[in-house]
Amino acid sequence: MSAVLASAPETAQPLLSVRSLSVRYQAGRNGFWARPRMINALQDISFDLYPGETLGLVGESGSGKTTTGRAVLRRIDTSDGRIVFNGRDITNVKGEELRKLRRNMQLVFQDPYASLNPRMRVLDIVAEPLIVHGLVRNVDEARDQVGELMRLVNLPRDAHDRFPHAFSGGQRQRIGIARALALKPEFIVADEPVSALDVSVRAQVVNLLQDLQKELGLSYLFIAHDLSVVRHISHRVAILYSGRMVEIASRDSLYERPMHPYTEALLSAVPVPDPKTQRARKRIVYKGEVPDVANPPVGCHFHTRCPIATERCSLQVPILTKKAPDHWVACWNR
Amino acid sequence: MAVTTHAAPPTAAKPRSGSFRPIALELWHDKAGMIGFTVIVLLILMAVFAPLIAPYDPAIQSVAARLKPPAWLPKGSWEHVLGTDQLGRDVLSRVIYGARASLLVGTSVVLLAGTFGVLFGLFAGFKGGRIDDLMMRLVDIQVAFPGLLMILLIISAVGPSLSTMIVVLAVTNWMIYARVVRGIVLSVRQTPYVEAAEMIGCKPGRVLFKHILPNLTSPLLTLGILEFTNIVLAEAAMSFLGLGVQPPATSWGLDVSNGKDYIFVAWWLITFPGLSISITVLSINLFANWLRVTTDPQEREKRFARLKAVERRRNGAPAGAPAKA
């Protein structure tokens, strides 16, 4: 893999730097002693994330978005590659050290209905990170801090003593965000934080995330499949396809001049809120299905569906290369 | 906040305030739960104060007064309100004294076996993989081994006594808890809120006991009650074989077993101890049902809302917010 990747707008040190990250999953075992079958969920992913920046991560189901987020948070083990966070190699951090690392990196979940323990009060949920990291001794001591967090995410103070089921989806998601913010992390992985919400509350939550970023200087890895939301919130965007990164670029560059044929197709599927323009647009649809991750094609994973594929594509894996300023594409023919 | 303006009860809002009154009031409003609770308390009092309440010594035999029917039947007398058994012992006194062994054995075996089985299942389900495989095979082995044989072996080595019986019954009855708990843990472990707990840095112990275990309350309560009945009957079987409660002490189960032979001549021998078992189980059931709802915040609020709706209807006011079904 080429050493340098999408250089950031500023020359500061990246907060998170991922190099040739691969993740292999066990896919069941045929018997007690049998060797498990392996599936390559993620292959050779590299990117940098700078302080105060949002990197949008886009791809269809099964493309490895969530796996990337979980691997970066060290929630699942990596099989190859390196993850450097704040100048420290955290690829193999375990146990107590990993637990301490949680103070700096947090996760916002996709499903606000399932990610809050139904038997805990909001106060207990939001105060728990403070308690388990020994920042406060008990819930009562955390009351003021939790109140402050509630203010940050625009929840009423009287929410403290209620249970999660008393809140709407958007409110629950904000409780989840408050929980993630409790430890004042620098880096948050937002795993499709708005895809389970009503369209009407999506904007609220996305804007909240943006405001929090400005106020607290957070960095986000924003995972989504909704391209318009990603365009709204991200500074840079990366596109995943079948476990590989096919394109990474600054937002405007990617949305205005997509280079990878897969990205082109993705962007053409985003509706434009203007009937005339929408009618005039051409929707690019490629034949075929996403390859089976357990048995992917040789070479470029996209070549079976690609209109501009050549023989080389079915033999060699394309390398992510710089094609324009701050624009990297993995395609032999572009 | 339009979501629940009508269902934010003061009691459910502060469930762990530690004060006793609101909880007691909540129980008072739930008639079935209250009846169950009262009967349980009465049964316990009866067992504790048996010597003061019982009209006779349960072991005193009187051949002259054999198989007397209960007082309200012909030939019955108020000297023996529930009649006498084949050895002329007073059935009422035996029922009162029998509560001691039955309640003690039932609850302590359920608690002992339950605690061990739940911990075993929690650990197996939480660890997963080979450890889980191994632990569950152990459970399979014990399930396959005949329980009564095991009881016979242990008792013949140690000798029968009440505490031995409790331990032995716990040893042969913990597996079902392990299996049930392990299964639920496997699914609860995958839920996002458990992942969230791990993500914020909870240690495994906290994840298990603060996030997973509380969400097992309902199935465990149900299982515990079903098992209680089983244990009372298992105790009867053991006592019948002479491995459990030793005469002159008695238990409900033992009396049911002994009275079996006289079912056609003296139905009261098995009816009253049997009835005691049913009443105990029924009242525990009623109380546990209340407890289950009380430990589930959402169910608890629904119950509160229903109560408010009923009150409003009774006061003649138009039913504003209908209770959630």
Side-chain angles (χ1 to χ4, degrees):
Chain A
M1 183 98 223
S2 56
V4 196
L5 272 149
S7 58
E10 60 262 65
T11 44
Q13 249 224 306
L15 175 71
L16 175 79
S17 143
V18 176
R19 288 290 172 274
S20 339
L21 176 71
S22 298
V23 172
R24 272 194 292 275
Y25 276 130
Q26 283 194 8
R29 215 186 285 259
N30 296 325
F32 191 78
W33 303 111
R35 277 186 57 181
R37 288 180 297 127
M38 302 304 274
I39 282 179
N40 291 312
L42 220 52
Q43 286 174 30
D44 222 4
I45 300 286
S46 303
F47 62 86
D48 284 333
L49 182 71
Y50 289 86
E53 187 191 38
T54 303
L55 174 66
L57 203 54
V58 183
E60 53 199 285
S61 318
S63 62
K65 308 185 295 282
T66 301
T67 307
T68 310
R70 297 291 200 276
V72 163
L73 289 171
R74 296 285 297 105
R75 172 83 186 134
I76 46 180
D77 285 332
T78 56
S79 38
D80 260 316
R82 251 166 10 105
I83 304 164
V84 178
F85 181 73
N86 250 345
R88 176 169 163 231
D89 191 330
I90 59 161
T91 322
N92 293 310
V93 165
K94 279 199 173 64
E96 190 57 25
E97 259 188 285
L98 179 61
R99 211 174 71 81
K100 292 220 176 84
L101 196 64
R102 298 281 175 241
R103 286 183 62 166
N104 299 318
M105 39 182 21
Q106 276 298 323
L107 177 64
V108 172
F109 286 83
Q110 170 172 13
D111 184 351
Y113 293 92
S115 61
L116 305 176
N117 189 337
R119 284 168 195 264
M120 283 170 85
R121 286 178 303 165
V122 171
L123 177 64
D124 295 323
I125 291 173
V126 179
E128 188 163 39
L130 299 168
I131 294 171
V132 296
H133 285 280
L135 301 177
V136 294
R137 259 172 300 157
N138 54 45
V139 173
D140 289 319
E141 270 182 44
R143 225 164 237 281
D144 285 342
Q145 286 192 56
V146 174
E148 177 61 19
L149 287 162
M150 294 305 218
R151 189 195 59 77
L152 269 178
V153 299
N154 303 324
L155 279 171
R157 267 198 83 105
D158 71 338
H160 267 172
D161 290 323
R162 306 235 192 129
F163 286 91
H165 68 259
F167 295 91
S168 69
Q171 288 172 323
R172 281 169 176 234
Q173 195 56 294
R174 280 183 272 158
I175 297 170
I177 294 171
R179 169 175 63 189
L181 289 176
L183 294 167
K184 304 197 175 66
E186 301 153 85
F187 169 51
I188 287 182
V189 173
D191 188 0
E192 310 215 18
V194 294
S195 50
L197 302 178
D198 268 359
V199 178
S200 54
V201 278
R202 267 185 202 180
Q204 279 179 22
V205 172
V206 168
N207 289 338
L208 172 69
L209 286 172
Q210 279 185 313
D211 293 345
L212 290 170
Q213 183 168 47
K214 273 184 216 127
E215 202 169 329
L216 307 170
L218 300 166
S219 307
Y220 293 131
L221 182 63
F222 191 90
I223 301 169
H225 55 245
D226 183 333
L227 286 154
S228 11
V229 171
V230 170
R231 184 171 198 171
H232 184 72
I233 196 172
S234 307
H235 300 103
R236 283 189 301 139
V237 179
I239 311 282
L240 291 186
Y241 181 79
S242 183
R244 287 204 187 125
M245 196 177 275
V246 295
E247 188 162 4
I248 177 167
S250 64
R251 174 188 58 188
D252 295 336
S253 183
L254 187 119
Y255 275 85
E256 275 147 38
R257 293 176 299 280
M259 290 196 190
H260 198 280
Y262 177 66
T263 315
E264 284 173 355
L266 266 188
L267 291 179
S268 83
V270 181
V272 176
D274 174 33
K276 253 188 222 158
T277 331
Q278 174 67 17
R279 250 174 265 131
R281 288 171 76 225
K282 214 175 84 208
R283 173 97 197 270
I284 308 170
V285 181
Y286 296 136
K287 285 199 189 87
E289 292 290 318
V290 187
D292 177 11
V293 277
N295 192 15
V298 187
C300 175
H301 280 182
F302 193 58
H303 84 261
T304 47
R305 302 167 70 188
C306 187
I308 57 168
T310 53
E311 202 190 332
R312 191 182 189 190
C313 299
S314 55
L315 299 171
Q316 264 183 302
V317 179
I319 298 166
L320 205 57
T321 40
K322 192 170 185 173
K323 295 287 166 75
D326 203 15
H327 200 135
W328 301 66
V329 184
C331 181
W332 291 123
N333 303 317
R334 285 289 163 97
Chain B
M1 298 303 311
V3 204
T4 49
T5 35
H6 67 280
T11 44
K14 284 188 187 120
R16 265 170 274 165
S17 51
S19 55
F20 171 74
R21 266 188 65 86
I23 294 281
L25 205 67
E26 236 182 301
L27 180 57
W28 176 251
H29 283 302
D30 187 276
K31 287 290 165 274
M34 190 64 208
I35 292 171
F37 180 71
T38 317
V39 174
I40 293 171
V41 170
L42 289 178
L43 281 169
I44 292 170
L45 289 177
M46 182 175 95
V48 172
F49 296 108
L52 302 178
I53 307 167
Y56 297 92
D57 184 327
I60 282 189
Q61 308 178 2
S62 150
V63 188
R66 291 179 70 229
L67 296 174
K68 283 251 198 251
W72 59 89
L73 290 179
K75 285 199 266 175
S77 85
W78 287 100
E79 268 171 49
H80 299 282
V81 181
L82 298 183
T84 59
D85 68 1
Q86 70 278 15
L87 297 172
R89 297 174 294 193
D90 183 49
V91 171
L92 177 62
S93 305
R94 288 187 72 76
V95 165
I96 293 173
Y97 270 91
R100 292 184 146 187
S102 294
L103 291 182
L104 187 67
V105 171
T107 37
S108 34
V109 170
V110 167
L111 287 181
L112 201 63
T115 312
F116 181 70
V118 167
L119 289 178
F120 196 93
L122 274 178
F123 191 75
F126 192 71
K127 278 283 171 190
R130 291 237 163 99
I131 294 179
D132 175 38
D133 281 350
L134 269 174
M135 288 177 82
M136 292 330 280
R137 290 305 80 75
L138 277 178
V139 170
D140 290 348
I141 290 169
Q142 170 130 35
V143 169
F145 198 83
L148 201 61
L149 187 60
M150 182 113 136
I151 292 173
L152 276 169
L153 285 173
I154 299 177
I155 298 276
S156 48
V158 185
S161 79
L162 197 67
S163 46
T164 322
M165 177 163 64
I166 290 171
V167 173
V168 164
L169 282 173
V171 165
T172 47
N173 285 287
W174 61 276
M175 296 84 77
I176 184 159
Y177 301 96
R179 277 189 175 170
V180 169
V181 166
R182 180 252 183 189
I184 307 172
V185 169
L186 281 184
S187 65
V188 172
R189 197 172 158 45
Q190 303 300 323
T191 56
Y193 67 82
V194 170
E195 193 189 0
E198 287 178 336
M199 273 310 305
I200 59 169
C202 290
K203 290 175 183 163
R206 189 180 171 97
V207 175
L208 265 178
F209 292 107
K210 207 141 187 209
H211 293 272
I212 296 181
L213 189 58
N215 286 290
L216 298 177
T217 321
S218 313
L220 278 182
L221 273 175
T222 314
L223 183 63
I225 292 158
L226 289 174
E227 275 295 293
F228 180 86
T229 345
N230 267 346
I231 297 301
V232 169
L233 298 176
E235 179 266 322
M238 277 180 69
S239 301
F240 186 66
L241 292 174
L243 303 172
V245 174
Q246 299 297 308
T250 182
S251 77
W252 292 336
L254 185 61
D255 276 1
V256 171
S257 299
N258 283 336
K260 247 184 348 212
D261 301 336
Y262 296 87
I263 188 164
F264 294 111
V265 273
W267 53 265
W268 55 91
L269 290 191
I270 65 158
T271 306
F272 295 111
L275 212 55
S276 311
I277 297 176
S278 328
I279 289 174
T280 311
V281 172
L282 180 67
S283 48
I284 293 179
N285 243 317
L286 292 175
F287 181 64
N289 194 35
W290 175 83
L291 201 63
R292 187 183 56 77
V293 173
T294 310
T295 52
D296 185 332
Q298 193 160 3
E299 291 293 319
R300 195 176 175 194
E301 264 181 32
K302 279 185 196 165
R303 186 174 66 190
F304 185 83
R306 266 197 297 270
L307 178 75
K308 283 289 158 215
V310 169
E311 272 175 15
R312 216 168 292 166
R313 226 174 296 142
R314 210 175 282 156
N315 296 340
K324 285 184 252 173

